[in-house]
Amino acid sequence: MNSIEIRDLVLRFGKTTVLQDLDLDIEQGEFLVLLGSSGCGKSTLLNCIAGLLEVSEGQIFINGRNVTWEEPKDRGIGMVFQSYALYPQMTVKGNLSFGLKNAGASKEEIEKRIKNASQMLQIENLLQRKPAELSGGQRQRVAIGRALVRDADVFLFDEPLSNLDAKLRTELRVELKQLHKRLQNTMIYVTHDQIEAMTLADRIAIMKNGFIQQLDSPATIYNRPKNKFVAGFIGSPAMNFLEGTLDCTGEPHFVVGEAKIPLAGYEFSQNLEGKTQSSFGIRPEHIVYGEEAQKAPFNAKVTVDVFEPMGSDTQVWAHVEGQNFRFRIDGRDKIANGDEMLIGFDPACASIFHGETEERI
Amino acid sequence: MSAGRAQAFWLRNLTAKIAAIPMILTSLVIFIGCSIWTVVYSFTSSRSLPVTDFVGFRQYERLFGAHRWSLAVENIAIYGVLTLVFALTVGFILAALLDQKIRFESIFRTIFLYPYAMSFIVTGVVWQWMFNPGLGIQHFVRQLGFENFTFDLISNRNTVIYAIAIAGIWQITGFAMVLMLAGLRAVDDQIWKASRVDGIPAWKTYVMIIIPMMRGVFVTSLVIIAAGIVKLYDLVVAMTNGGPGFASDVPAMYVYNWLFERANLGHAMAASTMMLLTVLIIMVPWFYMEYGRKNKN
Amino acid sequence: MKNEPKGPRPRKAFSPGRIMLYSILVVAAIYYALPLYIMIVTSLKGMPEIRMGNIFAPPVEVTFAPWVKAWDSACTGLYCEGLKVGFWNSVKITVPSVIVSIAVASVNGYALVNWKFKGSEFFFAVLIFGSFIPYQVMLYPLVIITRELGIFGSLWAVIFVHTIFGMPLLTLIFRNYFAALPEELFKAARVDGAGFWGIYWKVLVPMATPIFVVAVILQVTGIWNDFLFGIVFAGQPNFPMTVQLNNIVNTTQGIKEYNVNMAATMLTAMVPLVIYFVSGRFFVRGIAAGAVKG
């Protein structure tokens, strides 16, 4: 049985449609990340699942139960917010127990759950403090604790780490992963940070304009992006796109300017014949250079325009057939502007997208 | 060289300093200077003209012995407590009601706030007319058949201050409401979401979470309204002119009376010094709190 | 599966809670609107109708005679020239007071934010603190000062006093507004060689239109509604409208003409009310701006 099922969900604010005919199945115990830039509808979707926004059409099931009309408190969910949303005038303990007290839980039960949650999150020594006396990381732990004590089936996270600095973010990310491993609950996690998405998720749903563009494991999303948007969105630095023509008249190859890229190892998703206007995408980290480039199925000579040393590696900006092209070299290699370099790649790890539909070919 | 630079720097800022002269003069000469002047002359026997004949606390002794003064103080206390309690609670309730995503919100808000845009004189005159025992509300209810109905607060010595308080509260509530509404709108939306997920009923969220969060707004509103209460004068002039007798006298009117009509400066200065003292007692802790808090941040 | 919950939760058009909510708001709105209603209906009735009917009844025969009389010939003690004298006095007081007080306060706010000098924050603190001091404390010394300046009992004295007592609140809102503008703007202008007044006129004033509107609304309503400074400093021939209204209504001579009184009240309230109804949003903004002290 799926933990969460969403059927034909539509959400409108007045005349603007924010979510359009959305279907989504989430397995029991799965960690699903909703990823997208702001305004893509990811937080809206989460709020619909939580019951904080009323859907315009469609249904939501949690553990097989239709909760479309239920109040948030009756849906068996716990939620963690970006701004922590702790009750500022209550102690940590007060924050954890307020909902339980209100639901009429017994004193022993409340104590037990608070003890469990606070041990798990290592906030036992903070129970008597007020939120204002806590650091950002501690506050977010308490906010997670408030969701934990609800003993919910599903946890919803709305950009929980965005307000933290980079270091804390990394730490808490690992803790969240461990927490999921221990609890084995279904978790839905909204973020605009692709690193968070890649590291945490069992599956990632990439959203744009209220649609889910692709729903797959992080590896699939990275290696076989379904369309040009996903390909460009995931990965940093972003994927290189060479505009040209896919020629399937004989041995399939990709023509960009004077160059012909053989597509021997490429796994096609569609059967095309003849010539098709399309984009050839290759990630900067899949580019090899020097000796390795000579052995690669395709290679080309480029001139270094600009380079940006980042320490461990150096990003190089160049042109291939007049089109912008980026790649990474080892940070220890010496390089200068105007250098000529031989680069190469294996088309097997490339992605080709249709020029009009932008779908993967 | 360095001296020349210092001078250039001084000159460059000179325009700013000249431009700030009105502010400097106002704060030093008017707010500090005049207040000190008043306190100093409250210890003299000045009558129609200020004289430096110091008589110690004699004016204060007379002031505290005066029945009219204690009546004025009692009146302002009743008026003040009533106004603060009603303006803040009703103001908050109206703001909370308006915050429920209702239709016509701006129309309601406009109606609640318009009294604040009018002069106290206008408010006083209208309410005087409504309280008119012969032709006002009392007359109306009696016409309905309740022959013995009495609603004659304004001409009864013991109740006249309540009539003034009703008018004053009517005028100020919208102001409190606007401040409260701004406070409510400033509450993080996610707090409301969290409390909904926790299953806290809306009223309980207000009482246990939102109101405690809005402490600062309440204190600020309280201080501003309280400072206005101490100045209460126009409303009384228009509604009752202190009458019947001196039954609705207030300190500001008392001071005015002794300054300009009875020509007893020393006594008026003693009374106004007491007003100043009251304001200091309200203000200093608040000012310290606000300013201290800002410095800490 | 037919009756499975789907789409938005079905709701009755009016739940009991919503009905309660709107009822309370409507009752409260009626209470707050009532005095204005009574003012208007009373001012449109004849005296016989007022004596016979009740104050809530709408006029049977609408008459504008009370308005004409209030404007043109109502008596304040000995003079029977109506409120028009007070109206023009109020205009003569309000216009220059608003201009002068806003000019001074906007320069203050500008100097406080961009040209801080030693002690500037102290003067500002005194200014804010001073706004809470009861006027009565400073009233007599101000009489002496204006007398020494030779302006006591004239329009100049009232303008002077309004400028002083308008300064704290206005300086505060200008200071807060200017402080919220990006500092780079000011720095860029200085690098370009603009001086104190150059930056004020060419950079800040054009950007500060909304706050000038707020300040004008605050000041026009505040000064128009003033009573105390008008009666103390303006002198008999210059009494503003509020003072005249009070004299008309509370004069002890003759029979009380409630309809004329209410027409006079409406006339006095008209200017601030029109401003309020036309510019509601700015008015509210002014209140909020003034409440954020420090």
Side-chain angles (χ1 to χ4, degrees):
Chain A
M1 184 179 61
N2 284 324
S3 175
I4 293 179
E5 287 174 37
I6 294 167
R7 293 276 160 270
D8 310 317
L9 186 77
V10 177
L11 184 91
R12 289 183 214 101
F13 291 132
K15 277 183 187 154
T16 35
T17 305
V18 184
L19 298 174
Q20 183 71 55
D21 294 323
L22 198 134
D23 284 275
L24 183 62
D25 291 316
I26 303 165
E27 276 170 44
Q28 178 63 46
E30 186 174 356
F31 199 121
L32 180 90
V33 172
L34 300 175
L35 176 66
S37 41
S38 60
C40 71
K42 57 190 193 302
S43 280
T44 314
L45 176 56
L46 195 75
N47 278 307
C48 286
I49 297 171
L52 294 167
L53 283 174
E54 197 169 71
V55 303
S56 308
E57 280 171 40
Q59 295 173 310
I60 297 170
F61 297 84
I62 296 181
N63 282 344
R65 196 162 56 94
N66 187 331
V67 296
T68 315
W69 293 350
E70 304 256 324
E71 272 295 303
K73 68 176 164 84
D74 303 322
R75 294 189 175 202
I77 53 155
M79 191 159 176
V80 180
F81 298 90
Q82 177 178 0
S83 69
Y84 324 126
L86 297 177
Y87 310 133
Q89 309 294 334
M90 296 182 190
T91 61
V92 168
K93 198 170 176 181
N95 268 283
L96 296 181
S97 61
F98 195 48
L100 295 175
K101 268 188 202 152
N102 217 61
S106 73
K107 246 194 161 138
E108 298 82 55
E109 180 66 20
I110 295 177
E111 286 294 328
K112 203 183 88 196
R113 291 205 201 169
I114 290 182
K115 205 175 157 207
N116 271 338
S118 54
Q119 267 176 355
M120 210 177 290
L121 295 160
Q122 294 159 6
I123 51 171
E124 297 140 292
N125 52 341
L126 307 176
L127 286 178
Q128 299 312 321
R129 297 226 201 134
K130 292 257 179 89
E133 300 161 348
L134 303 177
S135 68
Q138 290 170 328
R139 278 182 218 183
Q140 198 50 288
R141 280 204 186 88
V142 175
I144 295 170
R146 188 170 59 183
L148 279 187
V149 294
R150 290 181 57 75
D151 221 5
D153 305 313
V154 177
F155 288 121
L156 308 176
F157 296 89
D158 194 354
E159 308 223 15
L161 307 183
S162 302
N163 280 12
L164 301 171
D165 62 51
K167 187 161 168 278
L168 263 174
R169 206 150 52 207
T170 320
E171 276 173 35
L172 267 169
R173 204 169 68 204
V174 178
E175 280 182 42
L176 269 176
K177 196 158 188 171
Q178 285 166 344
L179 194 71
H180 179 241
K181 218 167 115 193
R182 263 171 83 175
L183 293 171
Q184 293 296 323
N185 282 39
T186 310
M187 294 188 176
I188 307 180
Y189 186 104
V190 165
T191 184
H192 62 264
D193 181 326
Q194 48 170 301
I195 310 276
E196 269 173 35
M198 297 295 280
T199 50
L200 286 171
D202 294 328
R203 281 195 303 166
I204 298 176
I206 296 196
M207 292 186 69
K208 186 193 172 193
N209 297 337
F211 288 98
I212 293 179
Q213 303 286 321
Q214 184 168 7
L215 173 63
D216 263 314
S217 70
T220 313
I221 286 197
Y222 177 80
N223 291 315
R224 295 182 60 83
K226 245 186 184 161
N227 58 35
K228 203 175 166 188
F229 169 77
V230 174
F233 190 81
I234 288 286
S236 174
M239 187 182 268
N240 292 302
F241 291 110
L242 297 172
E243 306 301 327
T245 316
L246 176 65
D247 188 351
C248 294
T249 42
E251 245 336 78
H253 58 270
F254 190 86
V255 184
V256 48
E258 305 284 300
K260 273 188 181 181
I261 306 172
L263 298 174
Y266 186 77
E267 225 177 292
F268 279 94
S269 312
Q270 302 176 23
N271 274 323
L272 286 175
E273 282 167 15
K275 293 180 179 180
T276 319
Q277 191 67 30
S278 47
S279 309
F280 183 91
I282 181 84
R283 295 194 183 279
E285 53 269 35
H286 291 153
I287 311 288
V288 292
Y289 59 99
E291 271 174 43
E292 269 182 274
Q294 269 161 359
K295 284 180 266 170
F298 173 80
N299 51 37
K301 267 216 167 75
V302 296
T303 312
V304 176
D305 289 335
V306 178
F307 64 96
E308 302 173 304
M310 327 260 274
S312 64
D313 49 38
T314 300
Q315 263 196 67
V316 183
W317 295 71
H319 284 88
V320 168
E321 296 296 329
Q323 298 187 36
N324 271 326
F325 200 80
R326 274 192 291 195
F327 56 96
R328 275 149 62 151
I329 61 171
D330 194 301
R332 286 166 299 189
D333 288 347
K334 288 258 182 321
I335 190 173
N337 286 339
D339 280 2
E340 288 244 314
M341 286 181 82
L342 186 71
I343 57 153
F345 52 79
D346 180 1
C349 47
S351 303
I352 304 173
F353 302 101
H354 195 283
E356 273 153 36
T357 62
E358 303 206 333
E359 292 294 315
R360 185 184 185 86
I361 296 174
Chain B
M1 173 76 189
S2 74
R5 237 224 222 115
Q7 202 196 1
F9 184 76
W10 162 252
L11 277 176
R12 206 166 51 186
N13 248 346
L14 197 60
T15 332
K17 281 169 189 160
I18 292 169
I21 284 178
M23 178 178 80
I24 295 170
L25 284 183
T26 300
S27 55
L28 292 186
V29 178
I30 310 292
F31 290 143
I32 294 182
C34 291
S35 300
I36 292 174
W37 191 94
T38 294
V39 174
V40 168
Y41 277 84
S42 74
F43 294 102
T44 69
S45 65
S46 307
R47 293 199 63 85
S48 58
L49 287 174
V51 292
T52 46
D53 166 30
F54 288 96
V55 292
F57 283 92
R58 187 143 17 111
Q59 299 286 14
Y60 290 90
E61 283 161 24
R62 275 185 54 207
L63 187 68
F64 293 127
H67 174 63
R68 196 183 149 189
W69 173 252
S70 48
L71 197 61
V73 171
E74 192 187 314
N75 279 339
I76 202 68
I78 294 173
Y79 177 91
V81 170
L82 285 175
T83 306
L84 282 175
V85 169
F86 277 94
L88 293 182
T89 50
V90 176
F92 178 80
I93 291 170
L94 289 179
L97 293 178
L98 285 188
D99 201 29
Q100 307 303 311
K101 298 196 174 71
I102 58 152
R103 277 170 174 235
F104 313 119
E105 181 197 318
S106 69
I107 293 180
F108 282 116
R109 200 189 53 209
T110 305
I111 293 176
F112 296 146
L113 186 60
Y114 86 88
Y116 186 71
M118 301 197 307
S119 166
F120 260 135
I121 299 290
V122 169
T123 301
V125 169
V126 178
W127 281 89
Q128 182 197 52
W129 168 230
M130 288 170 50
F131 280 122
N132 185 311
L135 293 167
I137 295 170
Q138 174 174 303
H139 176 67
F140 170 72
V141 181
R142 284 188 182 176
Q143 272 185 331
L144 291 179
F146 304 92
E147 296 289 340
N148 295 323
F149 177 82
T150 35
F151 186 64
D152 190 12
L153 300 176
I154 202 165
S155 45
N156 180 330
R157 291 173 168 278
N158 297 319
T159 55
V160 61
I161 192 64
Y162 296 98
I164 295 171
I166 288 173
I169 293 165
W170 175 79
Q171 170 147 2
I172 199 78
T173 312
F175 171 75
M177 179 202 70
V178 166
L179 296 187
M180 301 288 174
L181 194 56
L184 284 172
R185 296 269 151 92
V187 169
D188 178 5
D189 197 35
Q190 296 183 0
I191 289 275
W192 277 104
K193 289 183 174 177
S195 93
R196 266 189 82 190
V197 172
D198 268 349
I200 321 287
W203 67 268
K204 209 169 180 180
T205 309
Y206 273 115
V207 175
M208 306 283 283
I209 300 166
I210 305 297
I211 294 178
M213 278 177 81
M214 282 176 52
R215 207 193 59 191
V217 177
F218 274 94
V219 172
T220 306
S221 315
L222 187 132
V223 168
I224 295 175
I225 295 174
I229 289 169
V230 178
K231 291 174 185 165
L232 178 71
Y233 172 70
D234 317 12
L235 183 62
V236 182
V237 170
M239 246 177 118
T240 65
N241 204 16
F246 298 122
S248 57
D249 203 359
V250 286
M253 185 175 255
Y254 187 92
V255 171
Y256 186 89
N257 205 239
W258 252 262
L259 272 186
F260 298 109
E261 279 149 27
R262 303 202 172 198
N264 193 335
L265 285 183
H267 193 70
M269 296 303 159
S272 43
T273 302
M274 293 313 297
M275 290 174 72
L276 178 62
L277 206 61
T278 317
V279 170
L280 290 182
I281 290 170
I282 304 171
M283 285 292 302
V284 169
W286 176 75
F287 210 71
Y288 194 77
M289 205 176 80
E290 287 277 295
Y291 203 72
R293 203 194 302 153
K294 207 176 72 187
N295 278 1
K296 240 192 286 171
N297 289 346
Chain C
M1 284 299 275
K2 252 187 214 161
N3 296 324
E4 276 281 300
K6 197 171 179 181
R9 196 179 333 179
R11 247 184 249 281
K12 281 183 212 143
F14 290 103
S15 67
R18 292 305 269 186
I19 293 175
M20 265 270 279
L21 180 72
Y22 280 101
S23 320
I24 297 173
L25 282 173
V26 167
V27 169
I30 291 173
Y31 174 78
Y32 281 96
L34 208 53
L36 185 62
Y37 167 78
I38 286 173
M39 256 193 277
I40 295 169
V41 295
T42 307
S43 72
L44 297 174
K45 293 179 196 172
M47 269 316 279
E49 203 187 320
I50 290 176
R51 284 197 210 91
M52 301 293 294
N54 68 64
I55 57 166
F56 296 108
V60 180
E61 263 180 76
V62 174
T63 165
F64 290 97
W67 287 69
V68 176
K69 186 168 182 195
W71 177 255
D72 222 33
S73 61
C75 298
T76 60
L78 296 173
Y79 304 96
C80 290
E81 293 169 306
L83 265 178
K84 61 177 188 292
V85 186
F87 175 84
W88 291 114
N89 283 341
S90 279
V91 171
K92 278 186 263 175
I93 291 170
T94 305
V95 172
S97 300
V98 169
I99 294 170
V100 174
S101 61
I102 289 178
V104 170
S106 62
V107 172
N108 282 347
Y110 164 58
L112 279 170
V113 171
N114 292 322
W115 301 83
K116 290 196 183 84
F117 52 89
K118 214 173 176 186
S120 61
E121 283 300 304
F122 167 77
F123 296 122
F124 179 65
V126 173
L127 213 57
I128 293 301
F129 200 91
S131 70
F132 290 94
I133 301 175
Y135 299 138
Q136 281 72 18
V137 175
M138 297 165 282
L139 211 50
Y140 196 79
L142 274 170
V143 170
I144 298 177
I145 290 172
T146 48
R147 197 182 284 148
E148 291 301 314
L149 292 172
I151 56 174
F152 181 71
S154 75
L155 289 174
W156 293 112
V158 196
I159 295 164
F160 176 72
V161 173
H162 278 307
T163 304
I164 285 172
F165 287 110
M167 204 185 288
L169 182 63
L170 290 180
T171 302
L172 175 82
I173 66 172
F174 278 108
R175 172 183 169 272
N176 288 354
Y177 190 85
F178 290 146
L181 295 177
E183 208 192 339
E184 287 74 18
L185 215 69
F186 170 77
K187 285 181 179 162
R190 284 200 71 178
V191 172
D192 285 343
F196 184 87
W197 295 110
I199 296 173
Y200 175 77
W201 283 111
K202 298 213 178 90
V203 182
L204 289 183
V205 172
M207 291 192 70
T209 322
I211 206 68
F212 274 99
V213 174
V214 166
V216 167
I217 289 165
L218 273 181
Q219 283 301 84
V220 171
T221 50
I223 293 170
W224 192 275
N225 289 338
D226 161 68
F227 175 79
L228 183 64
F229 300 143
I231 199 170
V232 172
F233 293 96
Q236 166 89 54
N238 300 319
F239 276 164
M241 213 173 182
T242 48
V243 176
Q244 245 200 336
L245 169 69
N246 186 50
N247 289 348
I248 289 174
V249 173
N250 291 320
T251 181
T252 42
Q253 290 134 327
I255 37 157
K256 292 227 171 204
E257 289 183 289
Y258 297 108
N259 51 356
V260 177
N261 288 351
M262 285 304 118
T265 314
M266 275 308 293
L267 284 168
T268 310
M270 202 70 92
V271 168
L273 278 184
V274 166
I275 289 176
Y276 169 70
F277 286 124
V278 170
S279 72
R281 207 165 45 84
F282 283 98
F283 189 86
V284 171
R285 196 169 152 190
I287 292 177
V292 193
K293 299 277 169 194

